[in-house]
PDB file of all heavy atoms in Angstrom:
ATOM      1  N   ALA A 280     -88.496  25.219  61.694  1.00 88.00           N
ATOM      2  CA  ALA A 280     -87.516  24.819  62.711  1.00 88.00           C
ATOM      3  C   ALA A 280     -88.048  23.679  63.568  1.00 88.00           C
ATOM      4  O   ALA A 280     -87.298  22.734  63.911  1.00 88.00           O
ATOM      5  CB  ALA A 280     -87.214  26.007  63.605  1.00 88.00           C
ATOM      6  N   SER A 281     -89.331  23.717  63.849  1.00 90.00           N
ATOM      7  CA  SER A 281     -89.942  22.622  64.622  1.00 90.00           C
ATOM      8  C   SER A 281     -89.892  21.309  63.856  1.00 90.00           C
ATOM      9  O   SER A 281     -89.594  20.256  64.426  1.00 90.00           O
ATOM     10  CB  SER A 281     -91.359  23.057  64.953  1.00 90.00           C
ATOM     11  OG  SER A 281     -92.280  22.053  64.898  1.00 90.00           O
ATOM     12  N   ILE A 282     -90.151  21.368  62.556  1.00 89.00           N
ATOM     13  CA  ILE A 282     -90.072  20.159  61.716  1.00 89.00           C
ATOM     14  C   ILE A 282     -88.639  19.618  61.744  1.00 89.00           C
ATOM     15  O   ILE A 282     -88.426  18.417  61.859  1.00 89.00           O
ATOM     16  CB  ILE A 282     -90.499  20.483  60.266  1.00 89.00           C
ATOM     17  CG1 ILE A 282     -92.008  20.761  60.225  1.00 89.00           C
ATOM     18  CG2 ILE A 282     -90.171  19.319  59.326  1.00 89.00           C
ATOM     19  CD1 ILE A 282     -92.475  21.368  58.932  1.00 89.00           C
ATOM     20  N   GLY A 283     -87.666  20.497  61.677  1.00 89.00           N
ATOM     21  CA  GLY A 283     -86.277  20.072  61.724  1.00 89.00           C
ATOM     22  C   GLY A 283     -85.921  19.332  62.998  1.00 89.00           C
ATOM     23  O   GLY A 283     -85.261  18.298  62.979  1.00 89.00           O
ATOM     24  N   PHE A 284     -86.380  19.850  64.145  1.00 90.00           N
ATOM     25  CA  PHE A 284     -86.125  19.178  65.412  1.00 90.00           C
ATOM     26  C   PHE A 284     -86.864  17.856  65.515  1.00 90.00           C
ATOM     27  O   PHE A 284     -86.336  16.884  66.031  1.00 90.00           O
ATOM     28  CB  PHE A 284     -86.501  20.093  66.605  1.00 90.00           C
ATOM     29  CG  PHE A 284     -85.415  21.064  66.946  1.00 90.00           C
ATOM     30  CD1 PHE A 284     -85.520  22.389  66.575  1.00 90.00           C
ATOM     31  CD2 PHE A 284     -84.294  20.649  67.635  1.00 90.00           C
ATOM     32  CE1 PHE A 284     -84.512  23.278  66.893  1.00 90.00           C
ATOM     33  CE2 PHE A 284     -83.277  21.526  67.966  1.00 90.00           C
ATOM     34  CZ  PHE A 284     -83.385  22.850  67.594  1.00 90.00           C
ATOM     35  N   PHE A 285     -88.084  17.831  65.009  1.00 90.00           N
ATOM     36  CA  PHE A 285     -88.854  16.551  65.045  1.00 90.00           C
ATOM     37  C   PHE A 285     -88.155  15.488  64.192  1.00 90.00           C
ATOM     38  O   PHE A 285     -88.023  14.328  64.607  1.00 90.00           O
ATOM     39  CB  PHE A 285     -90.281  16.756  64.533  1.00 90.00           C
ATOM     40  CG  PHE A 285     -91.182  17.495  65.475  1.00 90.00           C
ATOM     41  CD1 PHE A 285     -92.135  18.360  64.990  1.00 90.00           C
ATOM     42  CD2 PHE A 285     -91.094  17.295  66.824  1.00 90.00           C
ATOM     43  CE1 PHE A 285     -93.000  19.020  65.850  1.00 90.00           C
ATOM     44  CE2 PHE A 285     -91.930  17.937  67.722  1.00 90.00           C
ATOM     45  CZ  PHE A 285     -92.899  18.826  67.222  1.00 90.00           C
ATOM     46  N   VAL A 286     -87.703  15.862  62.996  1.00 90.00           N
ATOM     47  CA  VAL A 286     -87.001  14.922  62.133  1.00 90.00           C
ATOM     48  C   VAL A 286     -85.676  14.487  62.754  1.00 90.00           C
ATOM     49  O   VAL A 286     -85.318  13.320  62.694  1.00 90.00           O
ATOM     50  CB  VAL A 286     -86.829  15.481  60.723  1.00 90.00           C
ATOM     51  CG1 VAL A 286     -85.916  14.620  59.876  1.00 90.00           C
ATOM     52  CG2 VAL A 286     -88.198  15.626  60.029  1.00 90.00           C
ATOM     53  N   ALA A 287     -84.965  15.430  63.332  1.00 89.00           N
ATOM     54  CA  ALA A 287     -83.711  15.086  64.005  1.00 89.00           C
ATOM     55  C   ALA A 287     -83.949  14.092  65.135  1.00 89.00           C
ATOM     56  O   ALA A 287     -83.180  13.138  65.320  1.00 89.00           O
ATOM     57  CB  ALA A 287     -83.037  16.354  64.550  1.00 89.00           C
ATOM     58  N   GLY A 288     -85.022  14.302  65.864  1.00 88.00           N
ATOM     59  CA  GLY A 288     -85.370  13.364  66.927  1.00 88.00           C
ATOM     60  C   GLY A 288     -85.766  11.993  66.370  1.00 88.00           C
ATOM     61  O   GLY A 288     -85.540  10.955  66.992  1.00 88.00           O
ATOM     62  N   ALA A 289     -86.386  11.992  65.179  1.00 89.00           N
ATOM     63  CA  ALA A 289     -86.822  10.724  64.577  1.00 89.00           C
ATOM     64  C   ALA A 289     -85.669   9.908  64.084  1.00 89.00           C
ATOM     65  O   ALA A 289     -85.648   8.679  64.179  1.00 89.00           O
ATOM     66  CB  ALA A 289     -87.789  11.019  63.441  1.00 89.00           C
ATOM     67  N   ILE A 290     -84.646  10.561  63.521  1.00 90.00           N
ATOM     68  CA  ILE A 290     -83.499   9.805  62.965  1.00 90.00           C
ATOM     69  C   ILE A 290     -82.401   9.590  64.001  1.00 90.00           C
ATOM     70  O   ILE A 290     -81.449   8.896  63.764  1.00 90.00           O
ATOM     71  CB  ILE A 290     -82.934  10.457  61.708  1.00 90.00           C
ATOM     72  CG1 ILE A 290     -82.371  11.835  61.986  1.00 90.00           C
ATOM     73  CG2 ILE A 290     -83.954  10.501  60.591  1.00 90.00           C
ATOM     74  CD1 ILE A 290     -81.673  12.484  60.830  1.00 90.00           C
ATOM     75  N   SER A 291     -82.579  10.198  65.181  1.00 86.00           N
ATOM     76  CA  SER A 291     -81.591  10.083  66.228  1.00 86.00           C
ATOM     77  C   SER A 291     -81.270   8.632  66.665  1.00 86.00           C
ATOM     78  O   SER A 291     -80.099   8.344  66.911  1.00 86.00           O
ATOM     79  CB  SER A 291     -82.039  10.883  67.432  1.00 86.00           C
ATOM     80  OG  SER A 291     -81.163  10.730  68.527  1.00 86.00           O
ATOM     81  N   PRO A 292     -82.253   7.740  66.753  1.00 85.00           N
ATOM     82  CA  PRO A 292     -81.887   6.399  67.182  1.00 85.00           C
ATOM     83  C   PRO A 292     -80.905   5.689  66.262  1.00 85.00           C
ATOM     84  O   PRO A 292     -80.086   4.894  66.721  1.00 85.00           O
ATOM     85  CB  PRO A 292     -83.244   5.643  67.156  1.00 85.00           C
ATOM     86  CG  PRO A 292     -84.246   6.694  67.386  1.00 85.00           C
ATOM     87  CD  PRO A 292     -83.690   7.910  66.707  1.00 85.00           C
ATOM     88  N   TRP A 293     -80.870   6.013  65.001  1.00 84.00           N
ATOM     89  CA  TRP A 293     -79.943   5.391  64.079  1.00 84.00           C
ATOM     90  C   TRP A 293     -78.611   6.118  64.043  1.00 84.00           C
ATOM     91  O   TRP A 293     -77.571   5.498  63.780  1.00 84.00           O
ATOM     92  CB  TRP A 293     -80.533   5.329  62.653  1.00 84.00           C
ATOM     93  CG  TRP A 293     -81.699   4.446  62.620  1.00 84.00           C
ATOM     94  CD1 TRP A 293     -81.707   3.077  62.690  1.00 84.00           C
ATOM     95  CD2 TRP A 293     -83.075   4.835  62.512  1.00 84.00           C
ATOM     96  NE1 TRP A 293     -82.997   2.624  62.648  1.00 84.00           N
ATOM     97  CE2 TRP A 293     -83.845   3.668  62.546  1.00 84.00           C
ATOM     98  CE3 TRP A 293     -83.715   6.076  62.433  1.00 84.00           C
ATOM     99  CZ2 TRP A 293     -85.233   3.698  62.448  1.00 84.00           C
ATOM    100  CZ3 TRP A 293     -85.086   6.096  62.353  1.00 84.00           C
ATOM    101  CH2 TRP A 293     -85.845   4.902  62.366  1.00 84.00           C
ATOM    102  N   LEU A 294     -78.606   7.408  64.261  1.00 83.00           N
ATOM    103  CA  LEU A 294     -77.362   8.157  64.134  1.00 83.00           C
ATOM    104  C   LEU A 294     -76.584   8.285  65.461  1.00 83.00           C
ATOM    105  O   LEU A 294     -75.377   8.192  65.483  1.00 83.00           O
ATOM    106  CB  LEU A 294     -77.636   9.572  63.581  1.00 83.00           C
ATOM    107  CG  LEU A 294     -78.220   9.605  62.168  1.00 83.00           C
ATOM    108  CD1 LEU A 294     -78.470  11.056  61.779  1.00 83.00           C
ATOM    109  CD2 LEU A 294     -77.284   8.944  61.198  1.00 83.00           C
ATOM    110  N   THR A 295     -77.303   8.535  66.549  1.00 81.00           N
ATOM    111  CA  THR A 295     -76.638   8.814  67.813  1.00 81.00           C
ATOM    112  C   THR A 295     -77.070   7.860  68.944  1.00 81.00           C
ATOM    113  O   THR A 295     -76.792   8.145  70.098  1.00 81.00           O
ATOM    114  CB  THR A 295     -76.933  10.262  68.271  1.00 81.00           C
ATOM    115  OG1 THR A 295     -78.331  10.378  68.483  1.00 81.00           O
ATOM    116  CG2 THR A 295     -76.456  11.262  67.240  1.00 81.00           C
ATOM    117  N   GLY A 296     -77.749   6.804  68.619  1.00 82.00           N
ATOM    118  CA  GLY A 296     -78.210   5.884  69.633  1.00 82.00           C
ATOM    119  C   GLY A 296     -79.414   6.391  70.425  1.00 82.00           C
ATOM    120  O   GLY A 296     -79.704   5.924  71.485  1.00 82.00           O
ATOM    121  N   GLY A 297     -80.123   7.372  69.894  1.00 80.00           N
ATOM    122  CA  GLY A 297     -81.315   7.861  70.492  1.00 80.00           C
ATOM    123  C   GLY A 297     -81.154   8.981  71.503  1.00 80.00           C
ATOM    124  O   GLY A 297     -82.116   9.342  72.164  1.00 80.00           O
ATOM    125  N   ILE A 298     -79.962   9.567  71.562  1.00 85.00           N
ATOM    126  CA  ILE A 298     -79.733  10.570  72.582  1.00 85.00           C
ATOM    127  C   ILE A 298     -80.487  11.877  72.338  1.00 85.00           C
ATOM    128  O   ILE A 298     -80.756  12.640  73.250  1.00 85.00           O
ATOM    129  CB  ILE A 298     -78.201  10.870  72.711  1.00 85.00           C
ATOM    130  CG1 ILE A 298     -77.864  11.576  73.998  1.00 85.00           C
ATOM    131  CG2 ILE A 298     -77.701  11.652  71.520  1.00 85.00           C
ATOM    132  CD1 ILE A 298     -76.436  11.596  74.326  1.00 85.00           C
ATOM    133  N   PHE A 299     -80.911  12.114  71.087  1.00 85.00           N
ATOM    134  CA  PHE A 299     -81.595  13.368  70.753  1.00 85.00           C
ATOM    135  C   PHE A 299     -83.100  13.154  70.534  1.00 85.00           C
ATOM    136  O   PHE A 299     -83.794  14.083  70.184  1.00 85.00           O
ATOM    137  CB  PHE A 299     -80.953  13.954  69.487  1.00 85.00           C
ATOM    138  CG  PHE A 299     -81.346  15.368  69.236  1.00 85.00           C
ATOM    139  CD1 PHE A 299     -80.977  16.370  70.151  1.00 85.00           C
ATOM    140  CD2 PHE A 299     -82.035  15.744  68.132  1.00 85.00           C
ATOM    141  CE1 PHE A 299     -81.347  17.684  69.936  1.00 85.00           C
ATOM    142  CE2 PHE A 299     -82.411  17.060  67.920  1.00 85.00           C
ATOM    143  CZ  PHE A 299     -82.057  18.026  68.810  1.00 85.00           C
ATOM    144  N   ALA A 300     -83.604  11.981  70.770  1.00 87.00           N
ATOM    145  CA  ALA A 300     -85.011  11.700  70.490  1.00 87.00           C
ATOM    146  C   ALA A 300     -85.949  12.533  71.385  1.00 87.00           C
ATOM    147  O   ALA A 300     -86.856  13.191  70.907  1.00 87.00           O
ATOM    148  CB  ALA A 300     -85.314  10.210  70.638  1.00 87.00           C
ATOM    149  N   ILE A 301     -85.745  12.496  72.678  1.00 88.00           N
ATOM    150  CA  ILE A 301     -86.599  13.250  73.602  1.00 88.00           C
ATOM    151  C   ILE A 301     -86.353  14.773  73.498  1.00 88.00           C
ATOM    152  O   ILE A 301     -87.293  15.543  73.379  1.00 88.00           O
ATOM    153  CB  ILE A 301     -86.415  12.764  75.056  1.00 88.00           C
ATOM    154  CG1 ILE A 301     -86.734  11.302  75.184  1.00 88.00           C
ATOM    155  CG2 ILE A 301     -87.226  13.595  76.015  1.00 88.00           C
ATOM    156  CD1 ILE A 301     -88.176  10.946  75.006  1.00 88.00           C
ATOM    157  N   PRO A 302     -85.104  15.245  73.531  1.00 89.00           N
ATOM    158  CA  PRO A 302     -84.892  16.686  73.352  1.00 89.00           C
ATOM    159  C   PRO A 302     -85.431  17.221  72.027  1.00 89.00           C
ATOM    160  O   PRO A 302     -85.950  18.322  71.963  1.00 89.00           O
ATOM    161  CB  PRO A 302     -83.376  16.854  73.456  1.00 89.00           C
ATOM    162  CG  PRO A 302     -82.912  15.678  74.204  1.00 89.00           C
ATOM    163  CD  PRO A 302     -83.839  14.576  73.833  1.00 89.00           C
ATOM    164  N   GLY A 303     -85.303  16.438  70.952  1.00 89.00           N
ATOM    165  CA  GLY A 303     -85.830  16.856  69.663  1.00 89.00           C
ATOM    166  C   GLY A 303     -87.341  17.024  69.736  1.00 89.00           C
ATOM    167  O   GLY A 303     -87.893  17.986  69.172  1.00 89.00           O
ATOM    168  N   LEU A 304     -88.010  16.122  70.408  1.00 90.00           N
ATOM    169  CA  LEU A 304     -89.468  16.206  70.560  1.00 90.00           C
ATOM    170  C   LEU A 304     -89.856  17.409  71.422  1.00 90.00           C
ATOM    171  O   LEU A 304     -90.782  18.140  71.072  1.00 90.00           O
ATOM    172  CB  LEU A 304     -89.993  14.899  71.176  1.00 90.00           C
ATOM    173  CG  LEU A 304     -91.523  14.815  71.293  1.00 90.00           C
ATOM    174  CD1 LEU A 304     -92.165  14.799  69.937  1.00 90.00           C
ATOM    175  CD2 LEU A 304     -91.882  13.539  72.050  1.00 90.00           C
ATOM    176  N   VAL A 305     -89.138  17.632  72.512  1.00 91.00           N
ATOM    177  CA  VAL A 305     -89.489  18.724  73.422  1.00 91.00           C
ATOM    178  C   VAL A 305     -89.241  20.081  72.756  1.00 91.00           C
ATOM    179  O   VAL A 305     -90.110  20.981  72.766  1.00 91.00           O
ATOM    180  CB  VAL A 305     -88.692  18.605  74.745  1.00 91.00           C
ATOM    181  CG1 VAL A 305     -88.831  19.844  75.587  1.00 91.00           C
ATOM    182  CG2 VAL A 305     -89.126  17.355  75.470  1.00 91.00           C
ATOM    183  N   ILE A 306     -88.055  20.267  72.163  1.00 91.00           N
ATOM    184  CA  ILE A 306     -87.748  21.541  71.508  1.00 91.00           C
ATOM    185  C   ILE A 306     -88.692  21.768  70.321  1.00 91.00           C
ATOM    186  O   ILE A 306     -89.191  22.880  70.131  1.00 91.00           O
ATOM    187  CB  ILE A 306     -86.249  21.575  71.056  1.00 91.00           C
ATOM    188  CG1 ILE A 306     -85.379  21.565  72.305  1.00 91.00           C
ATOM    189  CG2 ILE A 306     -85.978  22.821  70.223  1.00 91.00           C
ATOM    190  CD1 ILE A 306     -83.897  21.341  71.984  1.00 91.00           C
ATOM    191  N   GLY A 307     -88.944  20.733  69.532  1.00 90.00           N
ATOM    192  CA  GLY A 307     -89.868  20.853  68.426  1.00 90.00           C
ATOM    193  C   GLY A 307     -91.246  21.243  68.905  1.00 90.00           C
ATOM    194  O   GLY A 307     -91.937  22.067  68.276  1.00 90.00           O
ATOM    195  N   ALA A 308     -91.700  20.644  70.005  1.00 91.00           N
ATOM    196  CA  ALA A 308     -93.032  20.945  70.537  1.00 91.00           C
ATOM    197  C   ALA A 308     -93.129  22.394  71.032  1.00 91.00           C
ATOM    198  O   ALA A 308     -94.135  23.076  70.824  1.00 91.00           O
ATOM    199  CB  ALA A 308     -93.393  19.971  71.663  1.00 91.00           C
ATOM    200  N   ILE A 309     -92.069  22.877  71.674  1.00 91.00           N
ATOM    201  CA  ILE A 309     -92.043  24.280  72.123  1.00 91.00           C
ATOM    202  C   ILE A 309     -92.157  25.223  70.930  1.00 91.00           C
ATOM    203  O   ILE A 309     -92.945  26.177  70.941  1.00 91.00           O
ATOM    204  CB  ILE A 309     -90.766  24.544  72.943  1.00 91.00           C
ATOM    205  CG1 ILE A 309     -90.849  23.825  74.292  1.00 91.00           C
ATOM    206  CG2 ILE A 309     -90.585  26.051  73.167  1.00 91.00           C
ATOM    207  CD1 ILE A 309     -89.560  23.822  75.063  1.00 91.00           C
ATOM    208  N   LEU A 310     -91.365  24.973  69.889  1.00 89.00           N
ATOM    209  CA  LEU A 310     -91.433  25.816  68.684  1.00 89.00           C
ATOM    210  C   LEU A 310     -92.796  25.711  68.010  1.00 89.00           C
ATOM    211  O   LEU A 310     -93.335  26.685  67.470  1.00 89.00           O
ATOM    212  CB  LEU A 310     -90.315  25.453  67.725  1.00 89.00           C
ATOM    213  CG  LEU A 310     -88.910  25.802  68.174  1.00 89.00           C
ATOM    214  CD1 LEU A 310     -87.875  25.217  67.234  1.00 89.00           C
ATOM    215  CD2 LEU A 310     -88.765  27.316  68.273  1.00 89.00           C
ATOM    216  N   PHE A 311     -93.378  24.523  68.023  1.00 89.00           N
ATOM    217  CA  PHE A 311     -94.688  24.271  67.424  1.00 89.00           C
ATOM    218  C   PHE A 311     -95.746  25.134  68.114  1.00 89.00           C
ATOM    219  O   PHE A 311     -96.543  25.807  67.493  1.00 89.00           O
ATOM    220  CB  PHE A 311     -95.015  22.780  67.497  1.00 89.00           C
ATOM    221  CG  PHE A 311     -96.274  22.380  66.790  1.00 89.00           C
ATOM    222  CD1 PHE A 311     -96.275  22.210  65.430  1.00 89.00           C
ATOM    223  CD2 PHE A 311     -97.442  22.139  67.500  1.00 89.00           C
ATOM    224  CE1 PHE A 311     -97.433  21.808  64.773  1.00 89.00           C
ATOM    225  CE2 PHE A 311     -98.598  21.751  66.857  1.00 89.00           C
ATOM    226  CZ  PHE A 311     -98.578  21.589  65.499  1.00 89.00           C
ATOM    227  N   VAL A 312     -95.751  25.082  69.443  1.00 90.00           N
ATOM    228  CA  VAL A 312     -96.723  25.879  70.224  1.00 90.00           C
ATOM    229  C   VAL A 312     -96.474  27.376  70.039  1.00 90.00           C
ATOM    230  O   VAL A 312     -97.406  28.160  69.871  1.00 90.00           O
ATOM    231  CB  VAL A 312     -96.656  25.478  71.720  1.00 90.00           C
ATOM    232  CG1 VAL A 312     -97.440  26.453  72.582  1.00 90.00           C
ATOM    233  CG2 VAL A 312     -97.162  24.055  71.899  1.00 90.00           C
ATOM    234  N   LEU A 313     -95.228  27.788  70.011  1.00 88.00           N
ATOM    235  CA  LEU A 313     -94.896  29.177  69.776  1.00 88.00           C
ATOM    236  C   LEU A 313     -95.407  29.645  68.428  1.00 88.00           C
ATOM    237  O   LEU A 313     -95.941  30.748  68.292  1.00 88.00           O
ATOM    238  CB  LEU A 313     -93.382  29.395  69.893  1.00 88.00           C
ATOM    239  CG  LEU A 313     -92.881  30.804  69.775  1.00 88.00           C
ATOM    240  CD1 LEU A 313     -93.435  31.642  70.901  1.00 88.00           C
ATOM    241  CD2 LEU A 313     -91.391  30.822  69.801  1.00 88.00           C
ATOM    242  N   ALA A 314     -95.259  28.793  67.422  1.00 86.00           N
ATOM    243  CA  ALA A 314     -95.729  29.139  66.052  1.00 86.00           C
ATOM    244  C   ALA A 314     -97.238  29.275  66.046  1.00 86.00           C
ATOM    245  O   ALA A 314     -97.784  30.188  65.421  1.00 86.00           O
ATOM    246  CB  ALA A 314     -95.280  28.118  65.059  1.00 86.00           C
ATOM    247  N   ILE A 315     -97.947  28.385  66.717  1.00 86.00           N
ATOM    248  CA  ILE A 315     -99.390  28.455  66.761  1.00 86.00           C
ATOM    249  C   ILE A 315     -99.864  29.738  67.423  1.00 86.00           C
ATOM    250  O   ILE A 315    -100.745  30.449  66.937  1.00 86.00           O
ATOM    251  CB  ILE A 315     -99.987  27.226  67.452  1.00 86.00           C
ATOM    252  CG1 ILE A 315     -99.780  25.973  66.627  1.00 86.00           C
ATOM    253  CG2 ILE A 315    -101.456  27.411  67.799  1.00 86.00           C
ATOM    254  CD1 ILE A 315    -100.161  24.707  67.299  1.00 86.00           C
ATOM    255  N   ILE A 316     -99.256  30.076  68.557  1.00 88.00           N
ATOM    256  CA  ILE A 316     -99.652  31.284  69.292  1.00 88.00           C
ATOM    257  C   ILE A 316     -99.401  32.543  68.470  1.00 88.00           C
ATOM    258  O   ILE A 316    -100.280  33.394  68.337  1.00 88.00           O
ATOM    259  CB  ILE A 316     -98.940  31.361  70.647  1.00 88.00           C
ATOM    260  CG1 ILE A 316     -99.420  30.248  71.577  1.00 88.00           C
ATOM    261  CG2 ILE A 316     -99.122  32.727  71.307  1.00 88.00           C
ATOM    262  CD1 ILE A 316     -98.604  30.083  72.830  1.00 88.00           C
ATOM    263  N   THR A 317     -98.214  32.651  67.897  1.00 86.00           N
ATOM    264  CA  THR A 317     -97.897  33.885  67.131  1.00 86.00           C
ATOM    265  C   THR A 317     -98.722  33.958  65.866  1.00 86.00           C
ATOM    266  O   THR A 317     -99.168  35.028  65.492  1.00 86.00           O
ATOM    267  CB  THR A 317     -96.409  33.968  66.802  1.00 86.00           C
ATOM    268  OG1 THR A 317     -96.000  32.780  66.103  1.00 86.00           O
ATOM    269  CG2 THR A 317     -95.548  34.121  68.046  1.00 86.00           C
ATOM    270  N   ALA A 318     -98.962  32.859  65.218  1.00 85.00           N
ATOM    271  CA  ALA A 318     -99.785  32.874  63.981  1.00 85.00           C
ATOM    272  C   ALA A 318    -101.224  33.244  64.301  1.00 85.00           C
ATOM    273  O   ALA A 318    -101.842  34.003  63.606  1.00 85.00           O
ATOM    274  CB  ALA A 318     -99.729  31.542  63.271  1.00 85.00           C
ATOM    275  N   TRP A 319    -101.738  32.701  65.399  1.00 85.00           N
ATOM    276  CA  TRP A 319    -103.102  32.998  65.796  1.00 85.00           C
ATOM    277  C   TRP A 319    -103.268  34.483  66.089  1.00 85.00           C
ATOM    278  O   TRP A 319    -104.222  35.134  65.660  1.00 85.00           O
ATOM    279  CB  TRP A 319    -103.480  32.156  67.011  1.00 85.00           C
ATOM    280  CG  TRP A 319    -104.845  32.469  67.541  1.00 85.00           C
ATOM    281  CD1 TRP A 319    -106.039  32.205  66.975  1.00 85.00           C
ATOM    282  CD2 TRP A 319    -105.145  33.146  68.765  1.00 85.00           C
ATOM    283  NE1 TRP A 319    -107.083  32.640  67.731  1.00 85.00           N
ATOM    284  CE2 TRP A 319    -106.538  33.221  68.881  1.00 85.00           C
ATOM    285  CE3 TRP A 319    -104.340  33.654  69.766  1.00 85.00           C
ATOM    286  CZ2 TRP A 319    -107.154  33.840  69.947  1.00 85.00           C
ATOM    287  CZ3 TRP A 319    -104.971  34.244  70.850  1.00 85.00           C
ATOM    288  CH2 TRP A 319    -106.361  34.337  70.918  1.00 85.00           C
ATOM    289  N   ARG A 320    -102.319  35.039  66.810  1.00 85.00           N
ATOM    290  CA  ARG A 320    -102.377  36.501  67.113  1.00 85.00           C
ATOM    291  C   ARG A 320    -102.263  37.335  65.878  1.00 85.00           C
ATOM    292  O   ARG A 320    -102.978  38.297  65.700  1.00 85.00           O
ATOM    293  CB  ARG A 320    -101.279  36.855  68.122  1.00 85.00           C
ATOM    294  CG  ARG A 320    -101.490  36.225  69.492  1.00 85.00           C
ATOM    295  CD  ARG A 320    -100.415  36.584  70.477  1.00 85.00           C
ATOM    296  NE  ARG A 320    -100.436  38.005  70.726  1.00 85.00           N
ATOM    297  CZ  ARG A 320     -99.398  38.730  71.086  1.00 85.00           C
ATOM    298  NH1 ARG A 320     -98.225  38.124  71.206  1.00 85.00           N
ATOM    299  NH2 ARG A 320     -99.481  39.994  71.331  1.00 85.00           N
ATOM    300  N   THR A 321    -101.315  36.982  64.971  1.00 84.00           N
ATOM    301  CA  THR A 321    -101.135  37.745  63.761  1.00 84.00           C
ATOM    302  C   THR A 321    -102.331  37.687  62.854  1.00 84.00           C
ATOM    303  O   THR A 321    -102.814  38.689  62.338  1.00 84.00           O
ATOM    304  CB  THR A 321     -99.889  37.222  63.008  1.00 84.00           C
ATOM    305  OG1 THR A 321     -98.767  37.299  63.886  1.00 84.00           O
ATOM    306  CG2 THR A 321     -99.642  38.057  61.785  1.00 84.00           C
TER     307      THR A 321
END
């Protein structure tokens, strides 16, 4: 899911004028950190 948000943020400048670039990075980063924490604990 994090990869999906990162890629959506990367292609956002061409599709939507960049409106999703920052939110894609932020949401992707939150999911990335969540995945690291849960994987480390497991």
Side-chain angles (χ1 to χ4, degrees):
S281 142
I282 292 167
F284 277 103
F285 287 144
V286 170
I290 63 174
S291 175
W293 294 289
L294 297 179
T295 62
I298 198 166
F299 194 64
I301 301 292
L304 184 64
V305 171
I306 294 169
I309 290 169
L310 290 172
F311 186 80
V312 169
L313 184 62
I315 290 172
I316 291 169
T317 57
W319 176 70
R320 292 180 66 208
T321 303

